[in-house]
Amino acid sequence: MMEEVKEVTPSLSVHGHSSKVTEVLKDGDTLTFLIVSQKLSGTGEYHVHRTYDDFEWLQQHLFSQEDVPGTQGVIFPPLPAKAQVNASTKVMKQLGFLGLGEWKLYCMALETFLHLVAAHSILSKNKAVEIFLTSPDPPGRQRTRRNIFNRLSQAVEEMRKEGHKDVDEFFQTKRDYNFVLTGCTKNAAERFLDVVLTEQKIATACGHFATALHLCVEPGDDPDKQAFTKICVKLSEVFETMKKNMASVAENDISTLGLGLDLESRYQEAEKEMFFRRTCKLVELETARRNAEKAKPVKKAALEEVRKSAETEFTDICRVAKKEIAEFQAARLVMLQQALVQWCEKQLHTARESADQFNQHLQAFRGMA
Amino acid sequence: MADTGRDPPLDQSGFQELEDGEDLFPEPASAQESEPASLPAEDISTNSNGPKQETLFDDDPEDLFAEATEEVSLDSPERDVLLSDGPSPAITPITPPTSVITPCISHAHDDMFTHSSFDEIEEEEASDSFDMHISVSDPEKVGDGMNAYMAYKVTTKTSMSLFKLNEFSVKRRFSDFLGLHSKLASKYLHIGYIVPPAPEKSIVGMTKVKVGKEDQSSNEFVEKRRLALERYLMRTVKHPVLLKDPDVMQFLESSELPRAVSTQALSSAGLLRMVNKAADAVNKMTIKMNESDTWFEEKQQHFENLDVQLRKLHGSVESLVCHRKELSVNTAQFAKSAAMLGNSEDHTALSRALSQLAEVEEKIDQQHQDQANADFYLFSELLGDYVRLITAVKGVFDHRMKTWQKWQDSQLLLQKKREAEAKLQFTNKPDKLQQAKDEIKELEGRVQQGERDFEQISKTIRKEVSRFEKERVKDFRTIIIKYLESLVQTQQQLIKYWEAFLPEAKAIS
């Protein structure tokens, strides 16, 4: 029997994994992002404007994907926290690396989000993605429904389920591992941010010193005065170089390892969310089982149904989760390696450049009579 | 009782400045082969301070010049100059008192001073070119409790014929250095030599050391002080005149040194000093010198500006040092967090890479600490030294003004005496007339001496300023080269660290 060749329509009409968030426009307090995506057909591009609320709309739709069983087992690509114009200190702290500089990093993080979504086997099929990337009009605004995907709306009692003991050793191990790793990664990201901020302070201080030196310049024909002036001017150049070096070091830190640690940290949290959903489902299942067992004959059939559906859901989630965990482990290795290699290469380049420049200054001073 | 030769107290100087060494001490001089420019010779009996001062503060005349303040910071408006409380050993006056010198024409006095002029000293110095290195090392705590002190080893290495040996060491404590400075200041400041200031006292710093805290901050304090003492001595001996001063040589050579006593932190007479400083400040404002020499005006302005700029730079560097220390702390913490991450990571290659990352960051932390030290010990201290040095320079300009004032005062007095004498001519008081004539003669001598002093100090200051400006260039250049060398070395080390880490990062997957 000849197999029907099913025509598989690609889920997206664009190369979602290479979409670019190219611009940020400020309109009062709102930030609007310009997203450019290449058509698969190669005939052009889509340019769409989206606000953060639109991103949230997309995420909500991804969460509420009903047609695929076990979506609760998906590790959802993490969306960065909301960015604001004139953000408060609390918001800036929450944003971490993404709040540094003029939104360039934030755009990169949004880009990464879109890439991860478009590359996901299940999520990319969601129509919301296509609409988000191609529709000229902003997608509809939906109030964030209180759902199990939105951790912020979890009631306290439900939070206690997080530590519920697992029935499966594999998952218990993974949960424990995730718990430790999430803490360590968050800590490392925060410490690294501290380092970067101090590097920036030093760059600024060097700049001030360089400027102050120019004030020591003394006019006059006196050879000693001229010699001292020359020293001040040349020293100012040295400190300018120091400033550029520090700024470069900080920039390298932010754009490679900083971003990497930030994404890793948020992705670990996303995995944690997935485990939580699964655990909640496990608790639900155990409750359903107990109820079905204890049920009086009158209710038994109905409760059996409940138990059956809970079991199916749970099995689906576990299946999806296992796949997701494996993919996530592989993906994060690649991502971290890339971050570390790029970081090292950039810092190496900066160090070589700076060594050269400092050496030139040194020779200049040695050569001074 | 006739006030022979005592200046009438002038309103603007209710308290005579006690800094003027010439008022209180017989002029000191070096007994060695060359002498400094001859110091104005003056009889103690012409001491304008006179009994007036002594009756007010007779408890401890020796203590009159002790510092009143404890911590003398960079910001104290005018650093007190400690003056010596007694004649230094091996001092014999070489020029006779004024009364013996016949008044001469004020100009062309080089013949009186050429023998001991700066020019000649410079010539001698050039032939015996400066080859001297002093190191201050081996700080050692002596004694216990609040009476404890640090003893430093002062080693001199030189080939100069001035010294008996080529290499010799002595043990000195901080107050010995202060004592040396005090003696040099009392001998040379008022005639226009820029005497390098001694390192600052620090009650807080020393108390920690005395109490016996062997922690990092007290170690840093001792190290900072040790280096400051070394720089102080090197600056002092680089000065061709100061180098040959017997006090300097005794300080460097002799194993026993009489204890300097007037360096106690608190003293009742120190309060007098503070009051004098206030009067001094008022004084300065009211001395309107008829500056005929624009060079001095320009230079004074120039030093004022430089003072302001250097203080700014110093503040800037302090801030930089602070940030670097912060960076070191943050880097260390990041290193720890990376190590934890590496330990928790399951994947072998990633775990290894993260652990390597932690090691690299630890090494970088060490670099930051070293850099902070370089920032501090090279730049911060250099700038601090120069701010203090400029205070000495300003002091020297002030002394020139005072010298001028003194000369003017003598002239005014002479004029008055002449008028009085003229009037006496018409009265029948022969003895009073004779007395007036005697006084006039003496005053004429004083006026001439005053003019000579003024010219001499002006000449000395010009030379000193020129020397200062040359030294300044050398000093800064040397430090900057050291600093740049450390910067280059740091970057080269960094390159090695990153080159070693790269294959680890690549091996992750």
Side-chain angles (χ1 to χ4, degrees):
Chain A
M1 177 161 76
M2 206 163 69
E3 261 188 59
E4 249 178 64
V5 175
K6 211 160 147 207
E7 197 180 297
V8 179
T9 41
S11 30
L12 282 175
S13 69
V14 293
H15 291 287
H17 59 276
S18 59
S19 295
K20 293 208 185 311
V21 178
T22 55
E23 255 179 61
V24 173
L25 307 159
K26 267 184 263 194
D27 179 19
D29 268 351
T30 330
L31 291 165
T32 308
F33 304 93
L34 173 61
I35 305 170
V36 177
S37 311
Q38 300 298 320
K39 290 187 187 171
L40 276 180
S41 56
T43 53
E45 298 177 337
Y46 283 103
H47 288 224
V48 296
H49 288 92
R50 298 287 180 255
T51 62
Y52 187 80
D53 288 347
D54 296 328
F55 276 89
E56 272 191 328
W57 171 92
L58 173 59
Q59 198 180 40
Q60 286 308 314
H61 272 86
L62 294 174
F63 284 163
S64 51
Q65 198 158 344
E66 302 271 311
D67 51 345
V68 179
T71 35
Q72 286 190 38
V74 168
I75 302 174
F76 289 89
L79 184 64
K82 182 169 184 176
Q84 290 165 8
V85 183
N86 302 321
S88 67
T89 337
K90 188 173 161 209
V91 169
M92 287 306 276
K93 192 162 188 279
Q94 196 183 27
L95 283 173
F97 281 97
L98 304 183
L100 295 177
E102 283 286 314
W103 306 123
K104 185 176 143 217
L105 292 152
Y106 193 78
C107 290
M108 279 168 76
L110 289 177
E111 241 179 57
T112 308
F113 169 73
L114 292 174
H115 296 173
L116 290 167
V117 167
H120 197 281
S121 46
I122 300 174
L123 299 178
S124 59
K125 296 189 174 72
N126 192 313
K127 286 203 174 51
V129 182
E130 174 75 18
I131 296 172
F132 182 89
L133 288 175
T134 60
S135 160
D137 300 318
R141 302 263 189 276
Q142 261 190 0
R143 278 196 64 227
T144 357
R145 291 198 319 263
R146 177 199 152 97
N147 60 24
I148 200 163
F149 298 92
N150 191 344
R151 240 277 133 121
L152 295 168
S153 59
Q154 294 300 330
V156 176
E157 319 89 65
E158 291 191 2
M159 292 299 275
R160 276 196 283 116
K161 289 178 194 164
E162 183 165 23
H164 187 87
K165 196 163 182 302
D166 213 301
V167 295
D168 185 333
E169 203 187 304
F170 170 80
F171 277 102
Q172 184 65 59
T173 314
K174 289 294 176 192
R175 279 165 64 189
D176 294 339
Y177 178 59
N178 167 272
F179 181 75
V180 168
L181 220 54
T182 312
C184 287
T185 312
K186 186 158 182 264
N187 187 35
E190 282 173 356
R191 298 284 80 77
F192 196 57
L193 182 60
D194 288 339
V195 167
V196 165
L197 291 174
T198 318
E199 284 168 349
Q200 289 180 330
K201 273 193 225 169
I202 290 180
T204 309
C206 288
H208 286 156
F209 192 76
T211 311
L213 275 167
H214 278 290
L215 297 170
C216 292
V217 161
E218 294 163 8
D221 296 326
D222 184 302
D224 290 326
K225 263 197 193 165
Q226 286 186 336
F228 188 66
T229 296
K230 191 170 175 201
I231 282 183
C232 288
V233 168
K234 286 229 127 330
L235 186 59
S236 176
E237 285 170 20
V238 171
F239 272 85
E240 270 297 322
T241 305
M242 281 168 70
K243 169 184 155 190
K244 288 198 185 108
N245 163 266
M246 254 312 162
S248 200
V249 167
E251 176 62 35
N252 295 344
D253 283 342
I254 296 169
S255 63
T256 58
L257 189 56
L259 268 188
L261 284 173
D262 168 77
L263 179 62
E264 168 77 359
S265 183
R266 289 185 291 118
Y267 229 138
Q268 295 280 359
E269 288 284 343
E271 195 189 31
K272 194 174 184 185
E273 302 282 302
M274 182 278 284
F275 282 132
F276 180 67
R277 290 192 294 273
R278 179 184 160 280
T279 309
C280 288
K281 188 56 85 175
L282 174 61
V283 169
E284 193 189 301
L285 173 58
E286 285 175 350
T287 313
R289 279 196 186 130
R290 276 200 303 274
N291 291 347
E293 261 180 47
K294 287 188 286 185
K296 297 199 174 94
V298 154
K299 295 249 177 90
K300 196 136 182 151
L303 287 172
E304 272 294 316
E305 279 304 310
V306 169
R307 181 193 61 82
K308 260 197 203 133
S309 77
E311 260 190 40
T312 319
E313 279 169 18
F314 184 68
T315 314
D316 286 337
I317 290 175
C318 289
R319 178 179 39 86
V320 171
K322 273 197 174 133
K323 185 158 169 270
E324 287 282 285
I325 290 168
E327 278 176 12
F328 174 55
Q329 287 304 320
R332 73 179 270 272
L333 270 183
V334 170
M335 191 272 293
L336 281 173
Q337 182 196 34
Q338 198 180 42
L340 286 169
V341 168
Q342 275 183 357
W343 179 58
C344 183
E345 281 173 346
K346 280 195 175 171
Q347 296 294 30
L348 188 51
H349 176 77
T350 299
R352 284 185 178 138
E353 231 177 35
S354 302
D356 248 351
Q357 288 168 340
F358 288 136
N359 206 26
Q360 278 175 27
H361 287 302
L362 178 59
Q363 297 316 317
F365 268 96
R366 279 192 180 142
M368 265 191 221
Chain B
M1 187 177 81
D3 280 355
T4 44
R6 244 215 304 168
D7 289 341
L10 301 166
D11 278 354
Q12 66 221 59
S13 51
F15 288 103
Q16 286 293 319
E17 300 90 352
L18 297 177
E19 288 163 39
D20 291 353
E22 64 195 32
D23 289 336
L24 268 138
F25 314 122
E27 78 283 359
S30 70
Q32 309 279 333
E33 41 267 38
S34 63
E35 305 127 349
S38 181
L39 307 165
E42 205 165 46
D43 218 344
I44 292 185
S45 60
T46 63
N47 184 350
S48 50
N49 295 326
K52 185 180 167 198
Q53 288 306 322
E54 280 156 21
T55 48
L56 285 172
F57 301 90
D58 59 355
D59 47 349
D60 187 4
E62 282 201 345
D63 228 0
L64 275 168
F65 307 105
E67 281 188 17
T69 51
E70 299 185 346
E71 298 265 357
V72 185
S73 73
L74 213 50
D75 295 325
S76 48
E78 292 158 282
R79 289 205 63 220
D80 287 353
V81 173
L82 272 184
L83 295 184
S84 193
D85 51 332
S88 313
I91 284 172
T92 45
I94 50 152
T95 47
T98 338
S99 45
V100 175
I101 295 175
T102 51
C104 330
I105 316 162
S106 45
H107 298 286
H109 271 292
D110 278 356
D111 57 310
M112 229 180 127
F113 303 113
T114 42
H115 173 61
S116 51
S117 74
F118 205 158
D119 293 333
E120 194 165 299
I121 289 169
E122 272 180 52
E123 255 181 68
E124 281 183 40
E125 185 202 339
S127 57
D128 188 8
S129 70
F130 185 77
D131 165 30
M132 194 158 168
H133 187 75
I134 301 181
S135 64
V136 174
S137 62
D138 305 337
E140 206 186 336
K141 188 170 163 201
V142 177
D144 270 316
M146 287 314 284
N147 288 325
Y149 63 90
M150 288 304 258
Y152 301 89
K153 184 171 164 193
V154 177
T155 309
T156 311
K157 287 187 188 142
T158 178
S159 63
M160 293 172 86
S161 50
L162 203 53
F163 297 91
K164 300 183 207 114
L165 300 166
N166 278 2
E167 186 170 337
F168 45 94
S169 299
V170 293
K171 281 267 187 198
R172 295 283 179 257
R173 54 185 290 188
F174 185 66
S175 56
D176 293 334
F177 290 81
L178 293 183
L180 173 64
H181 174 257
S182 153
K183 289 183 187 137
L184 294 176
S186 69
K187 283 194 264 184
Y188 297 101
L189 262 185
H190 67 275
I191 49 169
Y193 288 98
I194 302 171
V195 175
E200 301 189 326
K201 284 180 153 189
S202 169
I203 297 296
V204 172
M206 267 323 281
T207 309
K208 267 200 210 156
V209 174
K210 287 182 200 216
V211 161
K213 270 184 90 184
E214 270 287 326
D215 68 346
Q216 200 195 7
S217 75
S218 57
N219 286 342
E220 274 179 14
F221 170 78
V222 171
E223 178 64 7
K224 178 181 171 185
R225 174 162 281 191
R226 180 188 74 77
L227 287 166
L229 291 173
E230 202 173 274
R231 291 194 309 272
Y232 165 65
L233 284 180
M234 280 304 288
R235 276 215 180 87
T236 304
V237 299
K238 274 188 187 155
H239 195 299
V241 171
L242 297 180
L243 167 62
K244 297 181 165 100
D245 184 282
D247 284 317
V248 170
M249 295 177 65
Q250 187 192 41
F251 181 90
L252 292 174
E253 285 184 313
S254 94
S255 47
E256 291 297 316
L257 205 63
R259 180 80 201 279
V261 289
S262 54
T263 63
Q264 281 103 15
L266 287 164
S267 150
S268 60
L271 291 171
L272 165 65
R273 188 132 196 88
M274 272 164 51
V275 175
N276 283 346
K277 277 285 172 208
D280 221 359
V282 173
N283 221 353
K284 250 195 291 198
M285 293 194 289
T286 53
I287 292 182
K288 278 199 178 72
M289 189 168 146
N290 213 359
E291 188 60 82
S292 53
D293 196 340
T294 51
W295 185 93
F296 283 92
E297 221 172 281
E298 271 171 31
K299 280 299 176 187
Q300 243 174 314
Q301 189 55 52
H302 160 239
F303 279 112
E304 288 289 332
N305 293 342
L306 189 61
D307 188 25
V308 168
Q309 297 317 326
L310 288 180
R311 280 174 195 269
K312 256 193 220 147
L313 286 175
H314 185 260
S316 225
V317 172
E318 300 259 275
S319 157
L320 180 63
V321 171
C322 201
H323 290 319
R324 275 229 216 261
K325 288 194 172 148
E326 200 188 325
L327 183 58
S328 161
V329 167
N330 289 344
T331 305
Q333 284 186 337
F334 174 62
K336 279 202 191 86
S337 73
M340 260 171 56
L341 198 52
N343 285 341
S344 316
E345 176 60 50
D346 267 354
H347 190 270
T348 322
L350 180 57
S351 167
R352 203 183 129 95
L354 288 168
S355 301
Q356 294 285 44
L357 166 59
E359 275 180 34
V360 169
E361 287 294 312
E362 267 170 27
K363 290 188 188 140
I364 292 178
D365 167 26
Q366 187 55 51
Q367 278 193 340
H368 289 317
Q369 284 179 37
D370 294 341
Q371 189 62 58
N373 283 338
D375 290 344
F376 177 75
Y377 284 113
L378 293 178
F379 274 117
S380 182
E381 290 286 83
L382 172 73
L383 291 167
D385 282 353
Y386 268 82
V387 170
R388 286 181 281 268
L389 209 51
I390 285 183
T391 311
V393 173
K394 286 203 227 174
V396 148
F397 276 90
D398 284 348
H399 277 294
R400 179 174 168 269
M401 275 196 345
K402 287 188 198 136
T403 309
W404 181 84
Q405 187 65 55
K406 210 165 169 196
W407 173 31
Q408 297 304 306
D409 293 346
S410 308
Q411 275 189 323
L412 267 169
L413 192 59
L414 177 62
Q415 197 185 349
K416 282 199 190 124
K417 290 283 176 187
R418 281 195 173 131
E419 284 167 8
E421 190 229 11
K423 287 194 187 126
L424 280 173
Q425 297 274 5
F426 299 104
T427 65
N428 191 15
K429 292 179 187 164
D431 20 307
K432 275 231 158 74
L433 188 61
Q434 187 53 45
Q435 187 187 357
K437 285 196 197 290
D438 289 339
E439 281 175 2
I440 285 173
K441 221 173 176 191
E442 202 200 326
L443 276 173
E444 279 171 349
R446 254 212 271 170
V447 164
Q448 275 149 12
Q449 185 62 48
E451 190 179 359
R452 277 198 298 272
D453 290 347
F454 180 70
E455 275 174 23
Q456 186 58 41
I457 197 176
S458 302
K459 187 171 162 203
T460 305
I461 290 179
R462 278 177 184 269
K463 287 225 160 88
E464 285 288 279
V465 165
S466 168
R467 205 184 143 261
F468 171 87
E469 289 180 341
K470 284 195 168 67
E471 281 301 307
R472 175 175 66 162
V473 170
K474 273 193 238 163
D475 253 350
F476 271 69
R477 192 168 154 265
T478 310
I479 296 288
I480 292 170
I481 287 177
K482 272 200 194 122
Y483 191 71
L484 277 169
E485 283 170 350
S486 85
L487 286 176
V488 171
Q489 196 191 29
T490 303
Q491 292 304 313
Q492 285 170 343
Q493 263 177 350
L494 252 184
I495 289 172
K496 288 208 181 79
Y497 297 155
W498 291 127
E499 281 174 345
F501 180 69
L502 191 55
E504 294 289 340
K506 286 190 167 155
I508 289 174
S509 68

